[in-house]
Amino acid sequence: MEWTEEQYKRFEKFILGDDMDFYEEYTIHLTDEEQKKFFAENPDFMSEYPISRDKIYLLKDPIYRGLMRKIKKYENNTRDE
């Protein structure tokens, strides 16, 4: 099967991308029940972000997602020092 460069980039992003990016592209549009099921079936999803499973509804807020990204970036930078 031949893939275009764009298809390869999308696949690579899908496989290697950040969980928050995946959430924004694929999961955010699910209903609350579907999201709960998705998170239950994928317990490691979003594990690099400080969010509890009973607060996943907060992820629908773009400001909250931005804060989570900043926290993750800060934590990664402090680990590297």
Side-chain angles (χ1 to χ4, degrees), residues 5-18:
E5 185 175 341
E6 179 63 28
Q7 289 172 320
Y8 179 76
K9 286 180 183 179
R10 289 183 68 215
F11 179 73
E12 187 176 57
K13 181 181 174 187
F14 180 80
I15 297 298
L16 302 174
D18 183 70

Side-chain angles (χ1 to χ4, degrees), residues 19-51:
D19 283 354
M20 188 67 77
D21 294 336
F22 183 90
Y23 176 82
E24 289 179 332
E25 191 159 339
Y26 300 102
T27 313
I28 197 170
H29 305 293
L30 299 175
T31 66
D32 290 345
E33 288 302 314
E34 290 170 328
Q35 280 194 32
K36 286 178 188 175
K37 182 179 178 186
F38 179 84
F39 275 82
E41 291 174 351
N42 301 281
D44 291 336
F45 184 68
M46 299 291 282
S47 62
E48 64 226 20
Y49 291 95
I51 183 163

